[in-house]
């Protein structure tokens, strides 16, 4: 090593900006990029800022992190002739060709919800074997009650035993939102980040959990309290999986679709308002002839608008640096409600009850007209979603909002509709408005004081009441 000169005192207070340049197999910092470089040198987007003070030197590292992931509509993912599930995440065409020509078999670890495995397990196995894949299928009961670090660690242990290449052999997650969240967290922890692919099999996960970066598990009786922001390498959306889920789960997914409609897209709201029953009846399947071409068009428009509006909100704010998030609509009270009555309410049902109350808050705040409020509630009822729950008491609402203050920089950051398909963030909603809205909400929508937590016709008001 060369001799390091002793710096003079006149360097105190000095600040330098260094770029980082790759020269052969090492990185070197260069002051202000003024030094002459060869054309073969690679310049990093990262910077190092050095500040020399009397008390010592400090270095500030600015290292931009770019994640690229594909969300792709696909058909017949488990058709042995379709290689999307195995190679669709690769962006380099030459790499795809090389892998197809290679005699080395592909290796894949697949985590699948056990209910999904009961329906598609044999088809998945046939697909992997037909494509000469070395595989391990792990079927797990990925329910909200089991959404824990223990399950994430179980996945990690199995992955470690299977011995994946952490850069070229992505883990595949097939299931609903809970499955995708747990597998995403496990992948982000194993070897500090192993690529993974999401294949949603429920409507809710199709338009919500699958297209973002969040992963997580429940902890300390709180929903998703442990997690990370690591997006998948790819998401493959195949609507054919939706046809095997119960009607209640279609409604469950429609709640998240309605959320995006109320926050951002009046056209989507009107589509759900007019065609919601048809979407429930046909389960978004193109081969249903009962409703003809109008159904196919409505189903395609609804899913694409919901995903596009969701990505518009998520892509610029993947790590939630900005806490003002319209996609939090329906998620201020619902996490506590969902955990309190677990497993009685599905996620989308809890979200819709939250949204229903907030619609009343919006109307009491003068942001929605009475007619707009009634249209929204009618639409919710038409989508067969619960609009009120006895466990959603004022005490739970107030505690949820206090927790919101603690975790959102001392502000409520309350997304509220200000018309159909428009919204804004509010921090100054008074307790008086919250209480008035709650009283009116209960007076108009509570249908029986002794109802249980299971959604039933007795718990969901009929359309003629509005």
């Amino acid at each position: 090593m060369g001799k390091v000169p002793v710096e003079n005192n006149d360097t105190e207070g000095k600040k330098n900006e260094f770029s980082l340049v790759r020269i052969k197999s090492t990185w070197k910092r260069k002051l202000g990029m003024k030094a002459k470089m060869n054309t073969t040198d690679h310049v990093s987007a990262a910077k190092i800022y050095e500040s020399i003070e009397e008390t010592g030197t400090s270095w500030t590292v600015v290292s931009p992190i770019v994640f690229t992931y594909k969300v792709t509509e696909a058909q017949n993912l488990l058709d042995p002739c379709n290689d999307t599930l195995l190679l669709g995440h690769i962006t380099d065409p030459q790499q795809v060709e090389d892998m197809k020509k290679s005699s080395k078999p592909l290796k894949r670890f697949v985590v699948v919800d056990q209910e999904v495995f009961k329906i598609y397990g044999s088809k998945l196995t046939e697909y992997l074997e037909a494509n000469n894949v070395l595989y391990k299928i792990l079927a797990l009961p990925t329910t909200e009650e089991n959404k824990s670090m223990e399950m994430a660690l179980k996945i990690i242990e199995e992955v470690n035993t299977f011995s994946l290449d952490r850069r070229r052999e992505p883990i595949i997650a097939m299931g609903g939102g809970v499955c995708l969240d747990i597998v995403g967290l496990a992948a982000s922890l194993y070897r500090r980040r192993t690529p993974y692919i999401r294949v949603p099999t429920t409507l809710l996960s199709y338009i919500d959990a699958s297209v973002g970066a969040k992963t997580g598990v429940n902890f300390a009786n709180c929903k998703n309290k442990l997690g990370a922001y690591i997006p998948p390498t790819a998401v493959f959306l195949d609507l054919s999986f939706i046809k095997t889920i119960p009607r209640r789960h279609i409604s469950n997914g429609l709640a998240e679709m309605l959320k995006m409609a109320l926050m951002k897209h009046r056209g989507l709201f009107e589509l759900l308002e007019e065609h919601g029953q048809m979407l429930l009846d046909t389960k978004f399947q193109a081969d249903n002839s009962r409703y003809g071409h109008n159904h196919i068009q409505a189903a395609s428009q609804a899913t694409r608008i919901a995903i596009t509006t969701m990505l518009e909100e998520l892509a610029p704010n993947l790590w939630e640096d900005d806490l003002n998030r319209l996609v939090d609509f329906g998620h201020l009270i619902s996490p506590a409600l969902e955990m309190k009555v677990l497993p009685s309410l599905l996620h989308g049902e809890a979200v819709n009850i939250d949204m229903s109350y907030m619609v009343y808050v919006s109307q009491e705040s003068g942001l929605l007209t009475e007619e707009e409020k009634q249209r929204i509630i009618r639409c919710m009822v038409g989508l067969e979603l619960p609009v009120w729950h006895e466990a959603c008491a004022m005490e739970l609402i107030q505690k949820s909002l206090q927790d919101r203050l603690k975790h959102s920089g001392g502000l409520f950051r309350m997304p509220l509709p200000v018309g159909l398909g428009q919204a804004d963030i509010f921090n100054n909603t008074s307790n008086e408005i919250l209480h008035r809205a709650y009283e009116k909400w209960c007076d108009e929508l509570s249908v029986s004081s002794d109802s249980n937590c299971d959604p039933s016709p007795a718990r969901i008001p009929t359309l003629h009441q509005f």
Side-chain angles (χ1 to χ4, degrees):
M1 293 178 63
K3 185 177 180 181
V4 179
V6 177
E7 295 184 354
N8 297 325
N9 289 335
D10 60 3
T11 61
E12 291 178 6
K14 188 176 181 181
K15 294 183 179 180
N16 295 315
E17 174 187 328
F18 293 94
S19 294
L20 293 156
V21 182
R22 188 174 190 122
I23 302 172
K24 294 185 178 179
S25 59
T26 189
W27 290 94
K28 296 285 188 181
R29 66 178 196 172
K30 294 200 173 183
L31 184 62
M33 290 302 295
K34 291 179 181 178
K36 186 178 179 181
M37 292 184 297
N38 298 322
T39 55
T40 56
D41 291 342
H42 174 72
V43 182
S44 170
K47 300 274 189 183
I48 296 176
Y49 296 89
E50 184 181 76
S51 180
I52 302 172
E53 304 290 346
E54 183 178 354
T55 54
T57 302
S58 67
W59 297 267
T60 301
V61 178
V62 178
S63 183
I65 300 174
V66 176
F67 277 105
T68 301
Y69 65 102
K70 277 172 69 175
V71 179
T72 304
E73 291 182 329
Q75 294 181 344
N76 303 315
L77 270 179
L78 297 183
D79 181 340
C81 297
N82 185 350
D83 62 11
T84 301
L85 186 59
L86 300 174
L87 303 175
H89 64 287
I90 302 172
T91 56
D92 181 0
Q94 186 57 54
Q95 186 182 352
V96 173
E97 285 303 310
D98 292 344
M99 293 185 76
K100 285 181 178 180
K101 292 175 183 176
S102 173
S103 59
K104 182 182 177 182
L106 296 174
K107 197 173 184 182
R108 291 293 182 270
F109 188 95
V110 184
V111 182
V112 59
D113 175 82
Q114 69 178 15
E115 296 304 313
V116 175
F117 185 76
K118 288 176 186 177
I119 302 170
Y120 297 102
S122 60
K123 201 169 182 179
L124 174 61
T125 302
E126 289 169 9
Y127 174 86
L128 295 169
E129 291 183 352
N131 284 279
N132 194 33
V133 178
L134 296 176
Y135 67 90
K136 164 76 176 179
I137 298 175
L138 181 63
L140 294 173
T142 54
T143 62
E144 198 68 46
E145 304 95 296
N146 298 327
K147 192 178 184 182
S148 64
M149 183 56 78
E150 287 74 19
M151 184 166 284
L153 290 173
K154 177 177 176 59
I155 294 169
I156 291 170
E157 287 171 1
E158 295 282 354
V159 169
N160 189 56
T161 301
F162 187 64
S163 188
L164 280 174
D165 182 319
R166 65 172 177 148
R167 289 292 172 260
R168 295 186 300 173
E169 295 170 349
I171 298 169
I172 298 173
M174 291 183 65
V178 173
C179 178
L180 305 187
D181 280 357
I182 298 172
V183 176
L185 179 60
S188 70
L189 291 172
Y190 186 66
R191 304 296 300 271
R192 295 190 176 93
R193 183 169 64 87
T194 297
Y196 69 102
I197 290 168
R198 284 174 171 164
V199 181
T201 59
T202 64
L203 181 61
L204 189 142
S205 61
Y206 188 100
I207 60 174
D208 182 41
S210 67
V211 300
K214 290 201 281 192
T215 70
V217 294
N218 301 334
F219 178 73
N221 203 36
C222 292
K223 192 171 172 65
N224 296 325
K225 201 162 190 179
L226 301 179
Y229 297 101
I230 303 291
T233 300
V235 179
F236 299 128
L237 306 173
D238 186 347
L239 270 176
S240 67
F241 288 116
I242 310 302
K243 67 184 175 186
T244 56
I245 65 174
R247 185 181 181 92
R248 181 183 173 192
H249 284 262
I250 302 295
S251 290
N252 186 49
L254 286 170
E256 288 285 357
M257 195 174 282
L258 180 60
K259 175 188 79 175
M260 300 313 299
L262 293 174
M263 292 291 96
K264 288 177 63 74
H265 205 287
R266 184 186 179 113
L268 178 57
F269 173 79
E270 292 172 345
L271 188 153
L272 295 175
E273 192 177 39
E274 181 178 353
H275 299 293
Q277 196 68 36
M278 177 178 69
L279 295 172
L280 279 165
D281 290 343
T282 60
K283 297 186 177 182
F284 288 77
Q285 299 307 302
D287 57 358
N288 191 300
S289 58
R290 178 179 169 188
Y291 290 98
H293 179 70
N294 285 346
H295 151 65
I296 298 172
Q297 194 173 32
S300 176
Q301 283 182 337
T303 53
R304 287 181 184 175
I305 293 171
I307 290 169
T308 299
T309 51
M310 184 73 77
L311 289 173
E312 282 177 346
E313 293 298 308
L314 297 182
N317 194 27
L318 270 184
W319 287 268
E320 297 184 7
D321 296 316
D322 183 358
L323 296 175
N324 291 328
R325 304 171 70 245
L326 291 183
V327 292
D328 281 350
F329 183 56
H331 292 72
L332 274 67
I333 301 162
S334 64
L337 174 62
E338 187 178 352
M339 295 301 288
K340 182 175 182 179
V341 302
L342 198 71
S344 299
L345 285 174
L346 300 176
H347 175 71
E349 293 170 341
V351 167
N352 198 75
I353 291 164
D354 184 326
M355 293 195 298
S356 172
Y357 169 66
M358 289 299 172
V359 164
Y360 275 74
V361 172
S362 218
Q363 195 271 328
E364 282 296 312
S365 302
L367 306 174
L368 286 176
T369 66
E370 178 67 21
E371 180 188 359
E372 288 170 332
K373 181 195 82 175
Q374 290 187 14
R375 277 185 70 182
I376 293 168
I377 299 299
R378 273 200 303 271
C379 184
M380 291 174 171
V381 172
L383 299 177
E384 300 179 10
L385 286 161
V387 292
W388 181 86
H389 199 287
E390 61 185 355
C392 194
M394 197 66 217
E395 181 182 359
L396 182 141
I397 292 171
Q398 289 177 320
K399 185 179 185 308
S400 296
L401 293 178
Q402 286 304 309
D403 288 343
R404 177 79 171 177
L405 282 175
K406 283 193 291 185
H407 302 301
S408 296
L411 298 172
F412 283 124
R413 304 181 195 272
M414 186 182 290
L416 291 173
V418 296
L420 298 176
Q422 300 178 69
D424 208 343
I425 305 290
F426 295 87
N427 294 308
N428 56 356
T429 305
S430 68
N431 277 327
E432 182 185 357
I433 286 176
L434 294 173
H435 277 84
R436 279 206 319 264
Y438 180 75
E439 289 173 6
K440 188 178 285 189
W441 183 58
C442 291
D443 288 344
E444 294 183 4
L445 298 184
S446 62
V447 290
S448 72
S449 59
D450 60 347
S451 61
N452 61 27
C453 295
D454 295 324
S456 68
R459 288 211 60 254
I460 302 175
T462 56
L463 285 170
H464 74 264
Q465 290 178 262
F466 301 96

